[in-house]
Amino acid sequence: MPIFKFVNNIYWLDRIKSLDRNYVGDKALNLAYMMEEGYPVLPGFVIPPELFWEFIREIDWSDPLFADFPNSSLHINVEDYRQLQAIARGIRFYITTAPLPSELFPQLESALSRLDAEVLVFRPSLTYPSIETNGILETTVCEAKIDAFASQLKKVWAEYFSAKSLFYWQQKQVLTEDLKPSVLVQYLPEAIASGNLKADNNILEIEATFGFDFSLVRGEISPDYYQINLETKTAMEKRLGNKAIAYNLHRQTGTLTPKLPLPESLEMLQIYLLSEREQDRYSLEENDLEELIELSKKLTNIWEENFYLEWILSNFANNKESQFYISLVRTLNNSSQRNELKKEKPVITTTKLSRDSSGILQGLAAAPGRVKAIATIMTNFTKNNQDLMEGKILVVRSVIPAYFPLITQAVGIIAEKGGMTSHGAILARELGIPAVVGVKNATQLIEDGEAVLIDGNAGKIYLIEREEIMNEGAIKAEEKTLVTDFSFPISTQLLVNLSQLHSIETVKDLPVDGVGLLRSELMTVELLENEHPLIWLRQGRQSELVELMVDRLSQFAAAFSPRPVFYRSLDLLPVNPLNHTSSDIADDDVGKYSDRVLGDRGTFSYMLDSAIFDLEIKVIERVYELGYNNVHLILPFVRSLEEFVFCRGRIEEMWKGKPSSFEIWIMAEVPSVLFLLPEYVEAGVRGICIGTNDLTQLLFGANREQEQIATALPPSHPAVMRAIKQLISMANTAGIPCSICGDAPALYPQIIDDLVRWGITSISVNPNAVEQTYRAIARAEHRLILDAVRRQNNLDS
């Protein structure tokens, strides 16, 4: 590698078209080529690898671990997590705290002066064309001042040595000393709209949103979507996104509402909640869309019809009219071309099912029943979708909370991802509609509008002729007739899990002793039409939100009075309150659910921001004022005694007239409860509710949304059963009731014998499992009575 003096180590985009990619990387070379061809490109410059290595050579490594760095290959055992973290922290500390050489500053100051920008965007990458760094190296922004720039540059360089990066480089067989970090620095103008587009075989796909596309990249919104025939320049598909927020440099007067907090990497920007008017319209005007299509058509002459680019629509340089600017471009070809780049994502090759063959797809039988209906493929949720789902079968990659209103209109669910205890499966069982999950490539193998039969008992899906539906005269699911003799009394309380108002009608004639779990999250998603409660609060709509929740909760209380209703307070995702939904997982990335499981959720989130919990206290107080004293509270995902004490303190402080009959329970789903239950009881816990879904995945470190893991490690596993036995025993010793409300009793009714024998107080299940659970409890209690009689007879004899 040639050695350059620092003053020669900044390359401007408009001067690098003849350089080798090893100096500047493909991102910069592609943009330089576009500039040469006369296309509008955001101006900027490149900090090449040699500047980084010159900086590294200037550092006086004081730690023996780095004595030979950078000449050593840093043979790290990436399987040793602690060692990996320690090495990563050490390297990053040295990089971020070491000063940049003074001779570099004059050129940096000159570069900043030439750009004349307020904010800069840093796009790090490697100069290896075959190494994709998306998801490894994050795009960041900083103020366009020399001190801020120098600090940010070192932070960007340090990220090449994070634990995640070091692990990735080793997996890609890239030696540390061979790293070639290239940083593209660009002017970041005010954005009217931004997004990306992909042109492939004369089909153009565009994603767009208001402001910068950070909201899109971070998964905080669903973008507007267009599919265009480039030859005719006509729209084949057009779909309004679900856009709640926007990132920008400054507030756009009259269109954006209150400012929200930002992640550290984007702290120079501002983020706003979009008004309802903004949310209900496309981010691109028709003339802007036509201009973007025309630009893409011209680019096909350069990139041979297959390319991907990111764009910004801006009034850059105070132009009177807005203009599109290209911020990134790459080919989508696997062949050897100008840039030798690979596709962003692999293409899944699938073959549509044929009715001449068996036409069967197999998955997990998540909710029982059989139904014939028309399939609707859903890959992006918008408010307009809800009207399309009535009487249809919903086919999705994964069931996220945004889809819950659609499910209430659907007659069946097919999902590519998810397990028996995933949220989609739980809701389907409550609603009594058939569901099959874990069906690989379902959204590609089934075509929109096809006639489908779901067998939720066997976990199979069949393609059928539309006439089979039409000849039946109606789209309907199997009718289920109750056959259990409920006259046999049981001592163990049988409760029901609910979230939807129309489920009350389903259970009104069933012998249930109340609601053991009112799932507030699902209830709220339906009630607020997918909007996060924080959005209502920050829009000053607290009173309206309280009234809506009081009305909904009081309807449940009235329907079951005087039987108890145990309301579980909200367990949303506070680390990302900007999503329009309380989504646990992204539609196309179920793996992100693990972050949600271990994030600031449950009662810990109340300690960080008690706004929503305070509101729920007001709601319960109002319900009591209406005369419904059968509502009690369950606190979700309690990790520590301090969290419970905090929550109880908030209740005491806000609800001065709280009656002594009001009970505060906790969910027993975090394993720490096994060791802290006596302390919880002493602090005022009046009962526990065992949540087998979270307890199982936390005991095993297993994601319940991933069907293979969830199937291999079920809630009936001996380790889980021993934990449940211990919780029941401790509750009995403490003299408090112990309920179980997870899916384990319904999915594995054979465990009910043990639950009853160990002394469970109540069992709460979804409506569709009430009948079988009643039978199982009756059978278990009958056996206990017979065993007791026999033991007594043996003693008497």
Side-chain angles (χ1 to χ4, degrees):
M1 179 189 302
I3 304 299
F4 291 85
K5 294 181 179 179
F6 282 111
V7 293
N8 296 324
N9 264 357
I10 290 179
Y11 299 116
W12 286 91
L13 287 179
D14 57 359
R15 300 177 184 175
I16 63 173
K17 58 188 178 184
S18 61
L19 288 179
D20 186 276
R21 70 166 52 88
N22 289 328
Y23 294 140
V24 295
D26 283 305
K27 287 182 180 179
L29 276 183
N30 289 344
L31 292 176
Y33 181 70
M34 300 295 290
M35 276 187 166
E36 182 184 25
E37 295 294 318
Y39 289 97
V41 172
L42 286 182
F45 55 86
V46 181
I47 305 294
E50 341 38 286
L51 193 151
F52 166 77
W53 286 111
E54 285 292 330
F55 168 64
I56 290 298
R57 292 185 184 98
E58 293 287 322
I59 296 177
D60 179 20
W61 298 105
S62 58
D63 193 307
L65 176 64
F66 307 109
D68 298 325
F69 187 82
N71 296 319
S72 77
S73 60
L74 274 180
H75 294 294
I76 305 167
N77 177 14
V78 295
E79 302 300 329
D80 186 337
Y81 182 75
R82 292 185 178 179
Q83 182 199 35
L84 180 62
Q85 288 281 18
I87 291 175
R89 280 195 301 268
I91 297 176
R92 293 167 72 191
F93 172 79
Y94 283 123
I95 290 176
T96 55
T97 56
L100 286 176
S102 58
E103 59 265 35
L104 178 62
F105 278 80
Q107 192 180 11
L108 288 179
E109 290 176 329
S110 174
L112 296 181
S113 176
R114 176 178 170 183
L115 273 184
D116 190 25
E118 179 183 351
V119 177
L120 301 174
V121 59
F122 288 71
R123 304 182 190 275
S125 64
L126 293 180
T127 59
Y128 296 92
S130 60
I131 301 296
E132 179 56 67
T133 58
N134 287 342
I136 302 298
L137 302 174
E138 184 180 2
T139 297
T140 60
V141 300
C142 88
E143 188 176 10
K145 294 183 178 179
I146 186 62
D147 290 341
F149 183 94
S151 175
Q152 187 64 33
L153 177 60
K154 291 188 292 181
K155 289 180 182 178
V156 171
W157 279 341
E159 283 306 303
Y160 287 88
F161 298 92
S162 68
K164 176 175 63 175
S165 299
L166 290 173
F167 180 85
Y168 184 69
W169 309 146
Q170 190 167 117
Q171 294 299 304
K172 291 296 184 179
Q173 298 181 338
V174 177
L175 296 178
T176 311
E177 65 267 25
D178 290 337
L179 285 175
K180 296 177 180 178
S182 172
V183 183
L184 173 61
V185 182
Q186 290 175 285
Y187 186 113
L188 193 65
E190 190 86 25
I192 299 170
S194 61
N196 61 71
L197 63 83
K198 180 175 68 173
D200 193 357
N201 297 324
N202 219 32
I203 299 297
L204 180 67
E205 293 182 279
I206 300 172
E207 291 184 329
T209 189
F210 289 110
F212 297 123
D213 65 354
F214 293 112
S215 58
L216 191 163
V217 174
R218 295 169 63 85
E220 294 166 343
I221 55 99
S222 295
D224 300 332
Y225 174 81
Y226 310 83
Q227 189 178 85
I228 310 294
N229 184 317
L230 266 179
E231 186 172 344
T232 63
K233 301 179 184 177
T234 57
M236 302 165 61
E237 184 179 351
K238 185 177 178 180
R239 196 163 57 233
L240 181 66
N242 187 13
K243 310 179 296 295
I245 62 169
Y247 288 77
N248 228 316
L249 298 185
H250 301 288
R251 179 175 180 177
Q252 298 179 4
T253 306
T255 60
L256 296 171
T257 54
K259 187 171 71 171
L260 298 169
L262 280 158
E264 182 180 356
S265 60
L266 304 174
E267 60 186 7
M268 279 306 301
L269 304 180
Q270 293 180 346
I271 182 171
Y272 304 94
L273 291 168
L274 289 168
S275 67
E276 290 186 12
R277 185 176 65 85
E278 293 281 326
Q279 294 180 42
D280 290 337
R281 73 177 179 87
Y282 287 90
S283 48
L284 287 177
E285 302 288 350
E286 285 299 321
N287 60 321
D288 292 327
L289 177 61
E290 291 172 4
E291 182 181 343
L292 186 57
I293 294 171
E294 186 64 35
L295 175 63
S296 303
K297 180 67 175 176
K298 293 178 181 177
L299 288 173
T300 59
N301 298 324
I302 300 176
W303 301 103
E304 301 184 5
E305 296 188 349
N306 301 315
F307 61 87
Y308 168 91
L309 67 80
E310 295 176 7
W311 53 267
I312 291 178
L313 179 63
S314 174
N315 288 327
F316 179 38
N318 296 318
N319 292 333
K320 293 183 179 179
E321 295 183 0
S322 59
Q323 182 177 342
F324 284 96
Y325 294 89
I326 300 169
S327 56
L328 183 145
V329 62
R330 61 173 176 265
T331 62
L332 289 175
N333 292 324
N334 286 324
S335 58
S336 296
Q337 293 188 8
R338 170 183 296 274
N339 300 298
E340 301 173 358
L341 296 177
K342 294 188 175 181
K343 285 182 180 286
E344 182 185 21
K345 292 182 180 179
V347 175
I348 301 174
T349 302
T350 57
T351 303
K352 293 295 181 182
L353 295 178
S354 169
R355 290 177 181 81
D356 297 331
S357 63
S358 61
I360 297 175
L361 291 176
Q362 181 70 53
L364 293 176
R370 287 165 56 91
V371 66
K372 298 176 182 178
I374 300 299
T376 296
I377 312 299
M378 196 74 63
T379 54
N380 283 292
F381 172 82
T382 71
K383 292 180 179 179
N384 300 329
N385 296 147
Q386 191 165 349
D387 296 332
L388 304 176
M389 280 312 305
E390 186 172 359
K392 303 289 182 62
I393 289 173
L394 177 64
V395 184
V396 294
R397 296 191 185 102
S398 60
V399 179
I400 59 175
Y403 291 152
F404 291 169
L406 305 183
I407 295 174
T408 62
Q409 303 296 317
V411 295
I413 304 171
I414 300 170
E416 293 180 348
K417 300 176 181 179
M420 292 296 290
T421 58
S422 62
H423 293 284
I426 292 171
L427 187 56
R429 288 194 290 270
E430 177 182 336
L431 297 175
I433 60 175
V436 180
V437 300
V439 185
K440 293 183 179 179
N441 300 331
T443 58
Q444 292 150 328
L445 293 171
I446 300 172
E447 292 184 345
D448 192 78
E450 283 194 302
V452 172
L453 184 154
I454 292 181
D455 186 343
N457 304 310
K460 294 183 178 180
I461 297 138
Y462 303 83
L463 295 186
I464 59 175
E465 299 295 339
R466 294 177 72 95
E467 290 74 18
E468 292 188 46
I469 297 173
M470 303 304 295
N471 292 339
E472 291 183 4
I475 302 174
K476 60 181 181 180
E478 284 186 334
E479 296 290 334
K480 184 177 179 181
T481 304
L482 296 178
V483 296
T484 298
D485 179 10
F486 293 125
S487 62
F488 185 92
I490 58 175
S491 298
T492 305
Q493 283 190 329
L494 178 56
L495 306 172
V496 66
N497 301 332
L498 295 180
S499 67
Q500 311 295 305
L501 270 183
H502 45 76
S503 297
I504 295 175
E505 184 68 18
T506 306
V507 301
K508 68 176 183 178
D509 296 324
L510 295 177
V512 295
D513 298 302
V515 178
L517 178 64
L518 183 55
R519 296 189 181 98
S520 58
E521 298 84 14
L522 306 189
M523 182 186 80
T524 305
V525 165
E526 180 196 33
L527 183 64
L528 305 187
E529 298 180 343
N530 289 301
E531 287 189 332
H532 197 292
L534 278 179
I535 293 179
W536 287 57
L537 293 182
R538 287 168 177 167
Q539 290 176 341
R541 303 169 67 188
Q542 177 172 333
S543 298
E544 182 183 355
L545 179 55
V546 168
E547 290 301 322
L548 283 172
M549 293 184 69
V550 167
D551 177 72
R552 185 57 55 92
L553 182 54
S554 62
Q555 289 186 63
F556 282 103
F560 288 91
S561 182
R563 293 170 292 176
V565 173
F566 286 89
Y567 171 90
R568 185 180 64 189
S569 53
L570 287 164
D571 186 12
L572 300 176
L573 184 54
V575 294
N576 188 10
L578 308 174
N579 275 351
H580 217 30
T581 73
S582 53
S583 175
D584 290 340
I585 54 177
D587 183 35
D588 58 352
D589 189 5
V590 157
K592 292 179 181 177
Y593 182 77
S594 58
D595 293 335
R596 192 261 189 274
V597 171
L598 300 177
D600 3 321
R601 57 172 291 198
T603 51
F604 181 78
S605 70
Y606 302 169
M607 297 176 69
L608 298 177
D609 184 355
S610 66
I612 293 180
F613 183 60
D614 290 349
L615 182 142
E616 291 180 283
I617 297 171
K618 292 180 183 177
V619 169
I620 296 174
E621 181 181 9
R622 286 283 309 282
V623 170
Y624 266 71
E625 291 173 355
L626 292 174
Y628 302 112
N629 58 2
N630 58 326
V631 175
H632 304 286
L633 177 66
I634 302 179
L635 297 173
F637 213 80
V638 182
R639 291 180 170 103
S640 69
L641 184 64
E642 290 77 11
E643 294 172 22
F644 174 78
V645 171
F646 172 86
C647 292
R648 183 182 179 186
R650 292 301 298 171
I651 295 171
E652 300 289 349
E653 179 180 344
M654 296 190 61
W655 189 0
K656 302 298 184 183
K658 179 179 67 66
S660 59
S661 60
F662 176 73
E663 297 181 0
I664 307 174
W665 289 31
I666 62 171
M667 291 295 299
E669 50 195 354
V670 180
S672 60
V673 178
L674 289 163
F675 307 96
L676 296 173
L677 187 56
E679 286 85 348
Y680 282 123
V681 174
E682 185 176 352
V685 167
R686 298 279 292 276
I688 63 171
C689 187
I690 301 173
T692 56
N693 297 339
D694 271 336
L695 179 63
T696 300
Q697 65 177 356
L698 291 175
L699 281 172
F700 291 117
N703 186 347
R704 62 171 162 150
E705 296 288 338
Q706 295 178 336
E707 60 272 15
Q708 291 181 329
I709 295 178
T711 303
L713 299 169
S716 60
H717 191 282
V720 182
M721 293 304 297
R722 289 176 189 175
I724 292 172
K725 181 180 181 180
Q726 181 177 333
L727 286 168
I728 296 173
S729 175
M730 295 172 71
N732 290 339
T733 300
I736 62 170
C738 177
S739 181
I740 187 166
C741 64
D743 283 278
L747 297 176
Y748 309 96
Q750 67 272 18
I751 73 172
I752 292 178
D753 270 13
D754 287 332
L755 296 177
V756 172
R757 181 161 45 85
W758 295 335
I760 197 77
T761 308
S762 59
I763 298 176
S764 192
V765 295
N766 286 326
N768 72 307
V770 167
E771 184 184 9
Q772 72 173 35
T773 306
Y774 191 100
R775 286 200 304 267
I777 292 174
R779 185 171 57 246
E781 291 184 350
H782 187 65
R783 286 174 181 166
L784 281 178
I785 294 171
L786 287 177
D787 288 343
V789 170
R790 286 167 181 162
R791 284 196 300 271
Q792 185 61 46
N793 288 338
N794 289 335
L795 290 174
D796 292 343
S797 61

